[in-house]
Structures are given as structure tokens and as C-alpha cells.
Amino acid sequence: DAGVTQSPTHLIKTRGQQVTLRCSPKSGHDTVSWYQQALGQGPQFIFQYYEEEERQRGNFPDRFSGHQFPNYSSELNVNALLLGDSALYLCASSLETSGKSRDTQYFGPGTRLTVL
Amino acid sequence: QKEVEQDPGPLSVPEGAIVSLNCTYSNSAFQYFMWYRQYSRKGPELLMYTYSSGNKEDGRFTAQVDKSSKYISLFIRDSQPSDSATYLCAMKIEYGNKLVFGAGTILRVKS
């Protein structure tokens, strides 16, 4: 059973650049959520995608955007990178049940982004 | 004040000890409670998942939820060096989409 996969594993960018991170959900899952985890902190919710639409968004600026494809995979885009965007970016997948988000979320290994 | 509070530790115990990890929360709407284990530079791995109040046991792990006190616990029996990791508590409201995490507790089990 394929778990959640993310690419790339590591990424180094400079301030002002743009980055795209990719996620494939666990087999059978249809919902993808993205989290940012700063060093020594718990993950912070960025947004969630279901049926190719952003369903809910956390307290992140518009520089953070995403997309979900018909095969349920997802991308996270961050524009105008700041030093403070350096973090582990985690993708989590889950299965919508009866139109309500009841199932818990399974995480991928993350993409470590360093902004210089 | 954060919605979920968790002592960051580190908590250092000898091999074989019983470990108690805890979180408190302020949002009484939380209904789903989870514990994740995260090894260094890896993604969180789901350990326990509990709905509403009560206890749940899985092998050496027991999760407890006390909604009246807004307090959740994870107990690890017969702790092993391989249990050394960061333990994250997470919570979700009914029909909610996002998980709200604590900061994580670093656990070190010494052999």
C-alpha cells in the first residue's frame, strides 16, 4: 500500500524566488492538506484541497497557493520567498466520508525548504 | 495563548520505564484526538486516534482523553530506545478539516 509521497526531499532557494512542492496522496485517499513545520514547532495548517478546490485555509499569506489535480495529487507554490519560509513542508492525505471530513490524516516525509 | 499546549521536554527516561506524555487544550469543540510520532527530519507517523472521551489501547501505547479537564495523555509501557522521538498531539473539531498540533515533546529513552 503506497503511502504519501512528496518531492523533492530537499530544496535550497534564495529570497524572492518561487518554489513548487509536490505530493501524491496515499492510495484511495482523495483529500490533501499542507502543513508548515518550523524547527522545534508543531505543524501549522496551510490549506486543504478536496475535489480540486481549496476548502479551508490557515493563517498564511496569498504568497502560498496550491492546486489539486484530477488524480488527487497536489502542488504547493510559494512566491517571493522569505527567510522565514524555511521549514519542513508536510503533505497529509485523508479520505472524505459521506461528505464530511471524519478520517484522520496520514503524513508524507516532507520537503525541507531552506531559503538563503 | 495557544489552542494546544504541550511541554517540549526533553523527557529522558531509562529503558523499560513507563512514559507519560500530555497535552492541554482550550477549544471545547475538539472531538478527535491524535498522537503522532516524529523521528528526526521525518514526517509524523500516526500512533493513536481517539474520538471524544475515554481510553484506547494499542500494544504498549494507551491514549486517554478527559474532555471535562481538556487534557489528553499518551502512556508508553516498557519504553525502548527506538521510542526516542518527538511526540506530537493533534486535535480536530467535528467535521473539521485542519489538525491543530501541540509543539511536540522530545522523548529520549536511554539503554
Side-chain angles (χ1 to χ4, degrees):
Chain A
D1 180 21
V4 180
T5 60
Q6 292 185 243
S7 64
T9 304
H10 297 89
L11 208 50
I12 299 175
K13 293 286 188 178
T14 56
R15 282 180 297 173
Q17 285 190 311
Q18 178 264 344
V19 68
T20 297
L21 311 181
R22 295 176 176 83
C23 171
S24 290
K26 182 179 168 70
S27 178
H29 283 184
D30 58 7
T31 304
V32 172
S33 304
W34 287 92
Y35 292 80
Q36 180 195 66
Q37 186 178 24
L39 197 62
Q41 301 296 318
Q44 298 292 315
F45 178 78
I46 302 175
F47 42 52
Q48 185 179 85
Y49 276 84
Y50 173 66
E51 292 187 338
E52 301 180 46
E53 292 196 358
E54 181 183 295
R55 179 157 66 177
Q56 186 176 355
R57 189 180 186 90
N59 294 324
F60 280 82
D62 292 345
R63 298 187 297 109
F64 290 77
S65 63
H67 189 77
Q68 186 179 35
F69 299 94
N71 67 353
Y72 308 120
S73 67
S74 178
E75 289 182 349
L76 165 66
N77 301 291
V78 187
N79 295 321
L81 285 167
L82 304 174
L83 295 179
D85 294 333
S86 294
L88 181 68
Y89 287 85
L90 295 162
C91 169
S93 73
S94 54
L95 176 64
E96 187 80 354
T97 305
S98 303
K100 303 298 182 182
S101 184
R102 292 178 179 275
D103 197 8
T104 194
Q105 298 173 17
Y106 296 85
F107 284 81
T111 293
R112 184 160 299 280
L113 173 64
T114 301
V115 182
L116 302 177
Chain B
Q1 183 186 3
K2 293 182 179 180
E3 274 191 289
V4 180
E5 298 280 357
Q6 186 175 10
D7 187 335
L11 178 62
S12 186
V13 301
E15 183 176 355
I18 297 175
V19 175
S20 173
L21 303 167
N22 312 294
C23 288
T24 59
Y25 62 94
S26 57
N27 188 350
S28 58
F30 286 138
Q31 292 280 14
Y32 295 85
F33 303 91
M34 286 138 279
W35 286 94
Y36 287 85
R37 177 175 63 195
Q38 186 174 29
Y39 291 111
S40 182
R41 308 180 86 82
K42 302 292 185 183
E45 171 195 9
L46 180 65
L47 282 178
M48 300 290 284
Y49 174 57
T50 309
Y51 174 71
S52 195
S53 286
N55 295 356
K56 186 174 184 178
E57 187 173 324
D58 184 1
R60 296 185 296 113
F61 299 92
T62 299
Q64 289 184 352
V65 175
D66 181 349
K67 291 191 67 182
S68 62
S69 302
K70 298 190 182 68
Y71 187 87
I72 69 169
S73 301
L74 177 70
F75 297 95
I76 306 174
R77 290 181 298 280
D78 187 26
S79 57
Q80 302 296 310
S82 58
D83 294 328
S84 297
T86 297
Y87 289 79
L88 296 157
C89 64
M91 308 176 189
K92 187 167 80 74
I93 64 174
E94 187 83 52
Y95 307 130
N97 300 315
K98 72 174 186 180
L99 297 180
V100 180
F101 282 86
T105 298
I106 297 171
L107 172 66
R108 296 174 181 153
V109 181
K110 300 172 293 184
S111 58

